[in-house]
Amino acid sequence: MRLLLRSHTGEFNLTKEFVGDDIIPPYAILSHTRREGEEIRFCGEQAERDGLQYFWVDTCCIDKSNYGELREALNSMFRWYRDAGKCYVYLSDVSTAKRKASDEDSEFAWEPAFRVSRWFTRGWTLQEPLAPGSVEFFSQEGKELGDKRLLTQRICKITGIPESALRGAPLSQFSINKRLSWIENRQTTLEEDKAYSLLGILDVYIPPLYGEGKVGAFKRLMDEIDKREKCIQDLHLTDPRDDKKRIEETKGDLLEDSYHWIPENSDFQRWRDDPQSRLLWIKGDSGKGKTMLLCGIINELNKLMIKTDHLSYFFCQATDTRINNATAVLRGLLYLLHDHAGKALFEDTNAWVVLSEIFTDILQDPSLNNTSLVIDALDECVTDSSNLSDFIVQKSCVSSRVKWIVSSRNWPDTEERLERAGHKVRLCIELNAESVSTAVTIFIRHKVLRLAEEKKYDEKTRNAVLGYLSTNANDTFLWVALVCQNLENIPHRKIFAKLNASLQADTGSIAIVYRPITLKELTSLVEMLKDIPDDLESLRKIIGLCGSFLTIRGDSVYFVHQSAKDFLFASALNEIFPSGTEKAHYEIFSRSLQVMSKPLRRDIYGLRAFGYPAEQVKQPDPDPLAASRYSCIYWIDHLCDWNPSSSAKYKVDLQDRGAVDSFLRQQYLYWLETLSLCKSMSQGVVSMAKLEVFMQRRTDASALNELVRDARRFFMFHKWAIENSPLQAYASALLFSPTQSLIKGLFKRKEPNWITIKPAIASARAEKVR
C-alpha cells in the first residue's frame, strides 16, 4: 500500500510502499467516479483541514500495470477503506449552487441530484458506505453535504442497503444473497469488476483474471464462498458464544458489579494499554470466579472494540469431551475468526499440526487488525494441554496486534509453562482478595434478594440466609452459587432431607466415572434407581435437583464445570462418599458385572455373518447395549481403583469361583464381541493388562490368576481379527488358539460346527505374544 503525501508547498508525492508490520500513518481516502485532478487536490486539501497529512486515491496509489500489485489492491480495497481515518465522497454531478427558498422542512436543492448521482450506480463505490467508520459527502464545489450518520436514511432509500449495515453492523449478520442484492443495479466498466468489487463485502479472496467474463468471475466467487462456509461448518464442534451463554445461565447471573474492579486493576490496565504486554494470565484457586470473571472481561472488551478489532474466545471444560482438548480450542478460536480449511484437516491425527499452522498464518497476516484471544480454564484442557500452553507462550510474541488472556488454577505444571512467556502480565486472584471479597459480597446480596423475592422469605429468614452465606462463603463464588441453587430448587427442608440421599448417590456415581455417562447407563449404576429403570424423565428431574453440580446435554450427564467436581472432592467428600471413594468404585464394579450378565450374548446385534465388517455395524434401535456400554468398557478400571484390603467383606469376588472368575468363564467371548461393537478393543487390551497386574497381588486365587493370564493372551493374539469383525471371537479366535488355552476350552462349544478339520495350534505360539 502506498499513500500520497501533501507537502507544505501543495505538491503531492507518493510514499514508499507499506508492507508487513510497517506502521501505516493515519490517512484519508477518496471515493469518486471521475479522474480529474481537482478531485485529488480536493482530497489532499480536505485531509489537511482534518489534520491528516496522508491520503489515498486509487488512480494514483495503484500501479494497474503491475498484476501482483493490482491483485493485492483489489483484495485489500475494502480493508483500506475500513482503516481510513476519513473517507471523502466527491460527487462531481451534485451541485450546491442553488437552494430552495422554502420552509425548513423542504429538501435541499442538491437532493434530487444526490438521489440520482452516478456514484450510487457504480460497482466499486458499493464498499464505501459500508467499510469506513467516517464517510463525508461533498458536492462538486467541495461543500460538505453531510456525513453518513446524517444521511443514513437517504442512502438506505437510494441503495436498499439496511440502515444497520450503514451504521456499522458486522456484514456477517447479513446473508450472502442479501449482500449480493446490493450490487444488482450497479455497473462496472469491466464486467469482471462487478464480482471483484464484492470481495471485501463477502470477505473472500480470489485473484483477478480479467478476460474470464462476469459469469466466470461470479462462479469463482461463489465457489470460494462455498469453501469458506463448508470450512466454518467443519470447524464447528461448539460455538463459544453458546458456551458463554450456557455458563452464565448455569453458574448464575453475570453481575457487572461483580467484575467491575477488573478495568480498574493495574495489572489489567498494563495488559490493555502497554503494547509490549501481550499475555494476561489470570490465576486462582477453584471456585474463585475465574470463568465468570472472563465472561465479564469479554463483555468489557466488546465495549472497547472499534469496528476493525476482533475478539475470539474459548471456554475449556474438563468434563466435556467436546471442549477439553487443545485441538478443540484452536477450532473454537478459528470458528469465531472464520478462516479456511477442510473437515479432514480438523479430525485426523495431524489435526493439531494443521490447525496450529493455520492459526500461526493468521496471527502473522499483516492484514489482521487488533485481535484479542481469550481462553478460560487452560488447566481443564485434558488432551494435549502441554501443546496448547507451549503454543500460547510461543505465539503471544508473534504480533503486537494480537493480545491474549488465559485463566488457570494454581497448578504447578501450568505455572511452569506459562512462566516461560515474555511480554506477560500475571493477575493473581488471591492477591486481589479485597476486590474479590467485595465482588462476592455483591453476589451474595443479589442472590439472597432474588431468593427472598421468589421464595417469599420474611425478614428474619432473609437475614439468616444472608448471614450464613456471608460467614461461610470464604470469598468463593462457586460455594455461594451451589448453596443458593439448592435453596432455589428445594422448597421445603423436609423434602430436601428426603431427597438428599438420592442426590448424593447420583452425584457420587457421576463424580468417579471415567467419562460422562448417559441416563440409561446411570440407571444401571445407581442402586436406588432400580424402581425407575425406564423412567428417564423422572431421572432427568432428579438430576435437575443437582443442577448446581450437574447438567444434561442430549442424554448424557456432565458436571456443570470442573470447579464443581473439584469442590465436591475438596469440601464435600465425606457427604458424597460416606464410606470412601474405594467403596464407591467397588459398587460400580459390582453393579457392572450384574448389568453385563443380562444383555451380553452371542451376536447381540444380529450380524449373523462371521466376517461382517465392524465398520459397517450400525447400532440397532433400541440398542441392547445402551445401559451396559459404560460397564463393558470400564468395569476393570473400577475394580482396580477399589482397595480390596479395606473391604474384606467383598474379597470373595476375587477368589476362585468368585464373581470375576464366573464372568470370565461364562461371558468372556460375549464381552470381547461387545468391545468390538463399542469400538473399544484397544482400551480392552489395556484393561486386561491392568487386571493381570492387579490379580498378581492375590495369593488366594491361583485358578483365577491363571485364567486371567490366559484371557489376556487370547485377547492380544486375536485382537485384530475381532476388532475388524466382531463375530470372529467365535470363529478364528477359537480355531487358531492353542489346544491348551483355557478360554478355548471354556467356549469350545461356540466353535463353528460346520468346520470338521480343525488346526492344532501349539501353546508355544501363543507364548510369543507375552
Side-chain angles (χ1 to χ4, degrees):
M1 180 188 194
R2 285 186 291 267
L3 295 173
L4 286 165
L5 173 64
R6 187 174 188 269
S7 69
H8 64 280
T9 62
E11 296 179 341
F12 305 121
N13 297 294
L14 280 171
T15 67
K16 72 176 184 71
E17 188 172 3
F18 296 98
V19 296
D21 284 334
D22 289 348
I23 298 176
I24 300 175
Y27 62 93
I29 199 165
L30 177 66
S31 175
H32 62 145
T33 57
R34 298 172 63 183
R35 298 188 176 186
E36 279 77 358
E38 70 266 15
E39 297 182 350
I40 300 173
R41 184 166 300 279
F42 155 77
C43 184
E45 293 173 350
Q46 185 61 40
E48 185 176 33
R49 283 191 288 271
D50 288 332
L52 296 170
Q53 192 176 3
Y54 298 87
F55 61 102
W56 185 91
V57 181
D58 59 344
T59 53
C60 300
C61 297
I62 301 175
D63 181 3
K64 295 186 178 180
S65 65
N66 183 324
Y67 175 74
E69 183 173 331
L70 177 62
R71 179 184 60 193
E72 176 62 25
L74 294 187
N75 281 280
S76 303
M77 191 84 66
F78 188 87
R79 173 165 53 87
W80 292 349
Y81 274 98
R82 184 193 65 192
D83 295 346
K86 293 276 188 177
C87 176
Y88 307 133
V89 178
Y90 185 86
L91 302 175
S92 58
D93 54 359
V94 177
S95 174
T96 56
K98 296 181 180 180
R99 291 175 179 267
K100 285 188 176 179
S102 56
D103 63 80
E104 64 178 71
D105 289 335
S106 296
E107 65 180 12
F108 292 108
W110 51 263
E111 286 202 60
F114 181 81
R115 288 196 295 270
V116 296
S117 172
R118 183 168 176 263
W119 187 83
F120 290 110
T121 68
R122 304 304 297 162
W124 278 110
T125 59
L126 173 61
Q127 60 195 345
E128 277 91 299
L130 295 167
S134 172
V135 184
E136 297 174 355
F137 293 83
F138 295 86
S139 70
Q140 62 181 239
E141 297 86 5
K143 300 294 184 181
E144 184 172 359
L145 306 177
D147 61 14
K148 179 173 69 169
R149 179 184 56 81
L150 181 67
L151 299 173
T152 293
Q153 291 185 349
R154 292 180 176 89
I155 298 171
C156 178
K157 290 180 181 178
I158 296 169
T159 64
I161 300 173
E163 285 191 33
S164 57
L166 296 171
R167 297 187 188 278
L171 295 183
S172 58
Q173 293 182 3
F174 305 93
S175 69
I176 297 297
N177 288 337
K178 183 68 174 177
R179 282 176 273 175
L180 287 171
S181 71
W182 299 341
I183 205 169
E184 284 179 355
N185 298 319
R186 293 175 178 255
Q187 303 299 321
T188 56
T189 303
L190 299 175
E191 60 177 308
E192 294 90 349
D193 279 341
K194 193 165 186 178
Y196 302 158
S197 63
L198 287 165
L199 295 179
I201 293 170
L202 297 174
D203 192 23
V204 294
Y205 175 93
I206 59 171
L209 296 175
Y210 286 105
E212 67 178 325
K214 182 173 68 173
V215 174
F218 268 100
K219 182 180 185 305
R220 284 199 301 128
L221 180 68
M222 296 309 296
D223 287 345
E224 197 63 28
I225 291 171
D226 289 342
K227 290 179 185 176
R228 185 194 62 189
E229 295 301 312
K230 179 65 164 55
C231 168
I232 293 172
Q233 293 173 9
D234 292 342
L235 278 171
H236 183 265
L237 278 177
T238 176
D239 189 330
R241 291 164 295 196
D242 294 337
D243 288 331
K244 178 176 180 287
K245 183 178 179 181
R246 171 179 57 78
I247 287 168
E248 290 173 356
E249 291 175 349
T250 302
K251 289 202 164 196
D253 302 318
L254 179 60
L255 300 177
E256 188 171 342
D257 287 343
S258 67
Y259 64 82
H260 78 280
W261 61 275
I262 272 287
E264 308 301 322
N265 179 271
S266 59
D267 294 323
F268 180 82
Q269 290 176 344
R270 181 152 63 97
W271 171 83
R272 183 190 63 197
D273 302 330
D274 181 4
Q276 296 304 312
S277 298
R278 300 176 191 169
L279 172 63
L280 176 63
W281 172 22
I282 298 175
K283 58 194 290 283
D285 293 331
S286 297
K288 293 297 183 180
K290 297 185 297 299
T291 297
M292 297 301 273
L293 185 62
L294 260 64
C295 287
I297 288 175
I298 289 168
N299 291 351
E300 289 296 310
L301 291 176
N302 271 319
K303 294 177 186 176
L304 297 172
M305 284 171 58
I306 60 176
K307 186 178 180 180
T308 58
D309 290 346
H310 303 292
L311 173 63
S312 186
Y313 49 86
F314 192 86
F315 292 87
C316 295
Q317 191 167 340
T319 55
D320 189 337
T321 54
R322 299 172 307 151
I323 53 177
N324 71 351
N325 58 86
T327 301
V329 174
L330 290 194
R331 288 179 72 163
L333 292 175
L334 282 170
Y335 180 73
L336 291 189
L337 290 177
H338 289 193
D339 204 74
H340 308 267
K343 185 174 183 180
L345 295 178
F346 309 141
E347 293 184 340
D348 67 13
T349 55
N350 298 318
W352 168 258
V353 175
V354 173
L355 283 167
S356 57
E357 289 177 354
I358 293 172
F359 209 91
T360 300
D361 288 342
I362 292 174
L363 298 182
Q364 295 174 335
D365 187 345
S367 68
L368 183 68
N369 288 85
N370 292 334
T371 299
S372 297
L373 302 173
V374 182
I375 302 175
D376 178 53
L378 192 60
D379 50 280
E380 295 196 37
C381 178
V382 175
T383 305
D384 293 332
S385 60
S386 58
N387 286 345
L388 180 59
S389 298
D390 292 342
F391 181 82
I392 293 169
V393 168
Q394 295 163 11
K395 304 310 175 186
S396 62
C397 302
V398 165
S399 172
S400 60
R401 297 185 300 276
V402 180
K403 292 203 171 193
W404 300 71
I405 299 178
V406 301
S407 75
S408 74
R409 283 173 285 181
N410 296 312
W411 280 15
D413 183 63
T414 305
E415 296 217 12
E416 180 182 345
R417 292 184 179 278
L418 292 185
E419 279 293 345
R420 303 170 191 166
H423 310 289
K424 73 173 178 294
V425 179
R426 183 193 291 118
L427 193 161
C428 182
I429 297 292
E430 282 74 23
L431 295 181
N432 290 271
E434 185 176 346
S435 297
V436 174
S437 180
T438 301
V440 172
T441 299
I442 293 170
F443 184 64
I444 289 173
R445 289 175 181 166
H446 169 77
K447 299 295 284 185
V448 172
L449 286 175
R450 189 174 180 182
L451 272 171
E453 183 178 345
E454 291 179 356
K455 312 297 288 184
K456 308 224 180 309
Y457 289 165
D458 56 30
E459 184 177 358
K460 182 178 179 180
T461 304
R462 184 188 66 207
N463 291 339
V465 173
L466 182 63
Y468 175 75
L469 293 175
S470 301
T471 302
N472 296 282
N474 194 28
D475 294 341
T476 304
F477 285 93
L478 179 61
W479 185 86
V480 176
L482 296 178
V483 172
C484 289
Q485 190 146 359
N486 274 329
L487 292 172
E488 209 171 68
N489 289 328
I490 310 299
H492 303 293
R493 185 177 183 85
K494 185 175 180 181
I495 295 177
F496 174 74
K498 182 177 179 180
L499 290 174
N500 189 46
S502 294
L503 300 182
Q504 287 180 359
D506 289 353
T507 309
S509 297
I510 295 164
I512 63 170
V513 294
Y514 303 106
R515 66 154 168 80
I517 60 176
T518 66
L519 293 171
K520 286 189 176 180
E521 290 169 341
L522 183 60
T523 62
S524 67
L525 296 179
V526 180
E527 180 67 25
M528 62 182 57
L529 298 177
K530 62 184 180 181
D531 294 332
I532 54 167
D534 299 318
D535 189 357
L536 297 186
E537 285 308 310
S538 296
L539 184 54
R540 284 180 183 274
K541 292 177 181 178
I542 293 175
I543 297 298
L545 295 173
C546 307
S548 37
F549 294 96
L550 306 176
T551 186
I552 299 175
R553 286 194 293 276
D555 286 322
S556 295
V557 185
Y558 298 79
F559 271 90
V560 295
H561 196 270
Q562 181 66 27
S563 295
K565 186 173 182 179
D566 293 342
F567 177 83
L568 282 178
F569 279 94
S571 304
L573 190 65
N574 293 333
E575 288 79 6
I576 300 299
F577 302 107
S579 301
T581 55
E582 292 86 356
K583 173 67 182 307
H585 279 295
Y586 170 80
E587 293 293 341
I588 293 182
F589 148 69
S590 179
R591 288 177 193 143
S592 292
L593 289 185
Q594 297 173 26
V595 169
M596 291 188 293
S597 67
K598 298 176 182 177
L600 298 195
R601 63 181 183 274
R602 177 169 171 164
D603 196 12
I604 192 171
Y605 275 7
L607 307 180
R608 298 186 181 180
F610 286 116
Y612 197 100
E615 61 185 18
Q616 296 181 17
V617 173
K618 296 181 180 179
Q619 285 186 14
D621 187 16
D623 182 5
L625 295 175
S628 58
R629 188 176 298 268
Y630 178 88
S631 296
C632 290
I633 299 172
Y634 294 104
W635 70 273
I636 291 177
D637 295 276
H638 286 287
L639 169 61
C640 293
D641 282 337
W642 164 49
N643 181 7
S645 62
S646 64
S647 307
K649 176 181 176 182
Y650 303 107
K651 285 184 179 180
V652 66
D653 289 324
L654 299 177
Q655 294 175 350
D656 296 341
R657 301 182 182 277
V660 174
D661 187 89
S662 297
F663 177 78
L664 296 177
R665 291 178 181 277
Q666 297 173 19
Q667 298 181 295
Y668 187 65
L669 291 193
Y670 306 153
W671 180 58
L672 295 185
E673 176 194 341
T674 300
L675 287 178
S676 177
L677 295 171
C678 295
K679 296 178 171 53
S680 299
M681 288 292 285
S682 295
Q683 192 160 347
V685 168
V686 175
S687 296
M688 283 305 298
K690 287 175 64 176
L691 180 60
E692 184 174 15
V693 173
F694 181 79
M695 288 302 303
Q696 286 173 357
R697 294 176 289 178
R698 307 289 301 177
T699 59
D700 56 348
S702 58
L704 176 56
N705 264 305
E706 184 58 33
L707 178 60
V708 169
R709 282 194 293 271
D710 186 81
R712 185 188 68 81
R713 291 196 296 264
F714 185 93
F715 200 145
M716 291 290 292
F717 193 73
H718 302 294
K719 172 182 178 293
W720 185 88
I722 302 173
E723 190 170 37
N724 287 277
S725 299
L727 298 187
Q728 286 299 323
Y730 313 101
S732 62
L734 290 175
L735 289 171
F736 295 103
S737 288
T739 307
Q740 295 85 353
S741 168
L742 297 178
I743 295 298
K744 178 170 182 171
L746 289 168
F747 293 92
K748 188 173 180 60
R749 64 188 184 283
K750 299 294 183 181
E751 290 179 357
N753 54 20
W754 45 267
I755 297 180
T756 56
I757 301 176
K758 300 178 182 180
I761 308 297
S763 59
R765 184 178 177 185
E767 288 293 338
K768 292 180 182 180
V769 303
R770 292 194 66 181

